[in-house]
């Protein structure tokens, strides 16, 4: 992998990640952009104890542009985009309309390919490995920013999810706090460690799932399963078998196997609902240990946390979506229409021939 860092016309950072070491990246952003002005602010809810990002400047962000005006495609002649060069492998840049900025963290966009009509599942194993290396590098870089406590790499796919740009891309949020979902995991981790005299909850969950009926696929270094209490109609958790706290902890063997396993999972998601169905909308979310202090989670260290990816869709059956209605949105109590055992069975049925 070759990494080349440059700047866009308004001062935002842009980083190319290339498969070839001899690739030259010297294209200049020719757009007449003024420096980006953001109004991001993080407010803490005194009742729930969580945080909300207020970012009014995002009201003016790009919204469903036609394909020939996509800001994530490479620049072509006088059609200038966020990427100055005429082609790329993987590119990462600071979001022009960030939810978090400055002392409130940072937001980045990750473009997986210059092919506008592709998806992550269309990538080669070599390209998917490059995306993994880019996520890892950005996690490392962002973790050193003084305002950052947790790094979250994710992909939203599909208009049903709320994606406003059709180009295959993901995002990275670098939060100035430990996110509520991660805090819940850490509390459960601490309680289990205390109750078992030092046992690790993530290890126990993985061991139990691998011995059960909800395994979707398993490699030498990775395992994917539908969790016992899945929140979403089709939800898969992908774990490295050797527990590590973040992407930086993966060894070469796990990095090498990851593209094959992950691409197979994504392709199965596209086959769940049968031929002729539109691409399955999904969210793919990497869960990593926070880089901040963990004193409030008594007895827990970063090394107790287990890196894993959670992949899920809001489509519950052909032509029907699962909406977060009263119980889910009002009380955060999920009601799943698809039994996790049936979801796992279906995901095994649609394996590649």
């Amino acid at each position: 992998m070759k990494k080349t860092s440059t700047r866009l016309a308004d001062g935002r950072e842009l980083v190319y990640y290339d498969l070839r070491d001899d690739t030259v990246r010297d294209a200049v952003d020719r757009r007449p952009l003024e420096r980006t002005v953001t109004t991001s602010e993080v407010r803490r809810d005194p009742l729930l104890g969580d945080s909300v990002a207020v970012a009014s400047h995002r009201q003016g962000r790009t919204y469903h542009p036609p394909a020939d005006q996509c800001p994530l495609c490479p620049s072509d002649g006088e059609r200038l985009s966020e990427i100055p060069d005429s082609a790329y492998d993987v590119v990462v840049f600071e979001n022009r309309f960030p939810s978090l900025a400055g002392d409130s963290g940072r937001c980045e966009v990750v473009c997986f390919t210059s092919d506008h009509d592709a998806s992550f599942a269309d990538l080669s194993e070599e390209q998917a490995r490059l995306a993994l290396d880019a996520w890892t590098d950005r996690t490392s870089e962002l973790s050193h920013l003084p305002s950052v406590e947790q790094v979250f790499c994710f992909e939203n796919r599909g208009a049903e999810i709320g994606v406003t740009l059709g180009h295959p891309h993901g995002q990275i949020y670098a939060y100035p706090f430990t996110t509520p979902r991660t805090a819940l995991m850490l509390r459960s981790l601490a309680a289990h460690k205390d109750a078992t005299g030092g046992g690790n909850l993530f290890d126990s969950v993985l061991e139990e799932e691998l011995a059960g009926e909800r395994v979707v696929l398993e490699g030498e270094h990775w395992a994917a399963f539908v969790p016992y209490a899945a929140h979403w109609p089709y939800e898969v958790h992908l774990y490295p078998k050797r527990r590590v706290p973040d992407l930086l902890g993966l060894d070469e063997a796990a990095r090498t196997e990851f593209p094959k396993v992950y691409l197979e999972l994504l392709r199965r998601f596209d086959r769940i609902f049968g031929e002729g169905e539109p691409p399955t909308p999904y969210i793919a979310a990497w869960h990593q240990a926070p880089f901040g202090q963990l004193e409030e989670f008594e007895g827990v260290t970063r090394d107790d946390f287990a890196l894993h990816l959670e992949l899920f869709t809001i489509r519950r059956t052909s032509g029907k979506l699962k909406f977060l209605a009263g119980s889910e949105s009002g009380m955060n109590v999920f009601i799943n229409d698809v039994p996790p055992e049936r979801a796992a069975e279906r995901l095994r049925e649609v394996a590649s021939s």
Side-chain angles (χ1 to χ4, degrees), residues 75-96:
S75 292
D76 182 13
E78 294 307 309
R79 193 192 70 76
L80 306 177
S81 73
E82 290 281 66
I83 297 91
D85 220 326
S86 58
Y88 62 83
D89 293 330
V90 171
V91 68
V92 179
F93 59 88
E94 288 184 74
N95 197 323
R96 191 177 179 186

Side-chain angles (χ1 to χ4, degrees), residues 6-14 28-38 81-82 84 93-98:
T6 184
R7 292 282 172 179
L8 295 172
D10 55 6
R12 288 175 293 132
E13 184 179 17
L14 180 144
V28 176
D29 185 3
R30 295 181 284 125
R31 296 173 297 170
L33 297 180
E34 296 182 356
R35 284 202 168 265
T36 301
V37 177
T38 63
S81 73
E82 290 281 66
F93 59 88
E94 288 184 74
N95 197 323
R96 191 177 179 186
F97 303 97

